[in-house]
Amino acid sequence: MVYTGVCNFNSRHGCLKCTTVGEYSHQYHTVVFPNSRCPKRTNEEFRNKKYRDRLKSDTPLLKLPIDMIEDFPISDSLHLIDLGVMKRLLVGWRDGNFKNLTTKWRADDTLKVTQFLLTCKLPSEIHRSMRGLDELHHWKASEFRSFFYYLSIVILPDFMSKGPYEHFLTLFCGVTICSSLKYSSILDLSHELLLYFVENFKTYYGNYITSNIHNLVHITDEVRKFGPLNTFNSYPFENKLYCIKKMLRAGNKPLSQIAKRLTESDWNVKSKLSKAKNETNQYPVIKTNSKNRKIIDFGMFVISNKIQDKYFMTTEEEIIEVAEITDEHIKGYRIENVSDIFELPIKSSYLNMFKTGVQNGNRTTEIISFNNVSYKFVVTTNKNELYFIPLLHTLII
């Protein structure tokens, strides 16, 4: 956090939000933070230079009417969770880097997880397909995100013992609650779950409580202030950086090239906006793709009879599998006999997550109005069971 004039995140006084003091671990060759329950830092004490061990220099930001503690978020899910905690856990399970052999996967377990990942069909809204664990160090943040939110609770029970898996579920439930406004009423529960995960981390993985692990205890406070995690992560900036890099045509004068390309892009955007002034998209919109397949575009997601896009929840809380789409309605099958995926630390149904056996035989057919579509599911199959997990950005209050 150089811009605020404080020491780095991996120093002994590196926590931006609380007064915990780290310890250097000779075993892990890094600073760890064993204490999770420490007094919070305050803007007043920061400006009065009470944190002398943390401050390195004055910052011009002190001239602004901002809170020097709360207005600087640390809960960027891309770096904290996806490329942070989730990547560290997956690498540790695969390679046994935690010095705890009880959480290390065998070679054939790793192969089975890879086979599962390669067969998963993710919805059209998730543009990057999964790769195997043999390419783990090349995974993008979005792949770790897809694994964490949609695949982990499907495949991990097959390769983890009860204790470590239930410990992981406290992280999964805590972060999921922080990822949608729909769960905002149980943010207090999320804080307790994440606190439990951090405080019991050493039980299964040793004292490797780095700044990423420690900062999990501060997520819920920032979600209360800024909104769900996806509303203030750095994914849009990473995507924009990729676009900027694509604008370069040579290594000479990169700033001039980017300025010219942005000017050209600005003219194109203005042209498109002027053409669209009299056009208003009223969702849902019926479209037909190149294979003559009807698709319903709801703006934030699409529904079709493709296997990865054909499951959704209705406003009457029925899970539907699309059979046919017409210009007036959806004809589909109601999914019967659903149950919870897990029951601890909370029932998965509280997070709108379910499982059921593969549906066979005669099934109930229903006609569903487009207005009765509530949100979309990510559906995966494992051991002849279907797992229904909400596509997070489609959840509404």
Side-chain angles (χ1 to χ4, degrees), residues 63-271:
K63 299 177 182 178
L64 300 177
I66 58 176
D67 192 307
M68 295 300 295
I69 303 299
E70 293 189 2
D71 287 344
F72 292 91
I74 58 173
S75 302
D76 169 23
S77 59
L78 185 151
H79 294 99
L80 177 63
I81 297 169
D82 304 335
L83 288 177
V85 179
M86 190 66 257
K87 181 176 182 178
R88 180 60 193 167
L89 288 174
L90 270 174
V91 172
W93 294 333
R94 188 193 65 175
D95 299 340
N97 295 345
F98 290 117
K99 316 295 183 185
N100 185 345
L101 295 180
T102 60
T103 57
K104 184 183 185 302
W105 288 341
R106 298 175 301 177
D108 60 329
D109 290 341
T110 301
L111 180 60
K112 290 176 182 176
V113 174
T114 292
Q115 291 171 343
F116 167 78
L117 294 175
L118 295 178
T119 58
C120 289
K121 293 185 179 296
L122 297 174
S124 299
E125 293 78 11
I126 300 176
H127 304 298
R128 190 179 292 276
S129 58
M130 298 299 297
R131 290 179 283 182
L133 295 183
D134 53 328
E135 298 185 65
L136 196 57
H137 286 291
H138 300 290
W139 278 23
K140 299 295 186 181
S142 58
E143 291 171 272
F144 288 105
R145 174 183 170 84
S146 296
F147 181 88
F148 178 77
Y149 282 116
Y150 306 121
L151 305 177
S152 60
I153 61 172
V154 178
I155 194 62
L156 289 183
D158 295 344
F159 304 102
M160 295 181 69
S161 54
K162 182 179 179 182
Y165 176 62
E166 290 184 349
H167 177 252
F168 172 81
L169 282 179
T170 61
L171 171 69
F172 174 82
C173 294
V175 173
T176 300
I177 291 170
C178 291
S179 300
S180 173
L181 278 174
K182 190 174 182 67
Y183 309 130
S184 58
S185 61
I186 52 174
L187 277 175
D188 289 340
L189 172 62
S190 170
H191 178 70
E192 292 302 318
L193 292 174
L194 293 172
L195 192 61
Y196 178 90
F197 176 83
V198 174
E199 292 183 337
N200 290 273
F201 190 85
K202 59 185 176 183
T203 303
Y204 303 104
Y205 307 108
N207 196 32
Y208 193 77
I209 306 175
T210 60
S211 60
N212 270 342
I213 303 298
H214 169 78
N215 283 335
L216 292 172
V217 303
H218 301 304
I219 287 180
T220 51
D221 289 336
E222 298 199 340
V223 169
R224 287 190 180 96
K225 182 176 179 62
F226 298 109
L229 290 175
N230 68 304
T231 61
F232 63 98
N233 63 34
S234 59
Y235 275 100
F237 302 97
E238 293 284 344
N239 293 337
K240 188 63 178 178
L241 182 61
Y242 169 79
C243 295
I244 292 174
K245 288 180 178 178
K246 292 281 285 183
M247 293 177 184
L248 297 177
R249 299 175 182 174
N252 188 38
K253 298 182 179 180
L255 289 178
S256 298
Q257 292 184 61
I258 291 172
K260 291 177 180 179
R261 298 296 88 74
L262 288 176
T263 302
E264 295 166 2
S265 175
D266 187 48
W267 279 108
N268 289 333
V269 170
K270 287 181 179 178
S271 176

Side-chain angles (χ1 to χ4, degrees), residues 310-312 314 318-322 332-334 366 368:
K310 66 178 182 177
Y311 294 95
F312 63 89
T314 68
E318 292 182 339
I319 301 176
I320 300 296
E321 174 188 349
V322 173
Y333 305 114
R334 187 169 72 237
E366 295 194 4
I368 300 97

Side-chain angles (χ1 to χ4, degrees), residues 12-58:
R12 292 177 64 249
H13 298 273
C15 183
L16 179 67
K17 299 296 182 179
C18 73
T19 57
T20 187
V21 179
E23 304 170 358
Y24 183 79
S25 170
H26 293 279
Q27 180 183 9
Y28 298 105
H29 308 292
T30 189
V31 174
V32 297
F33 299 88
N35 194 349
S36 303
R37 299 177 185 264
C38 295
K40 295 180 180 179
R41 299 187 190 276
T42 66
N43 179 57
E44 181 181 1
E45 291 183 343
F46 184 96
R47 291 179 177 274
N48 291 334
K49 300 184 178 180
K50 294 289 183 66
Y51 310 125
R52 296 192 180 276
D53 292 327
R54 176 167 173 74
L55 295 173
K56 294 179 67 177
S57 62
D58 285 337

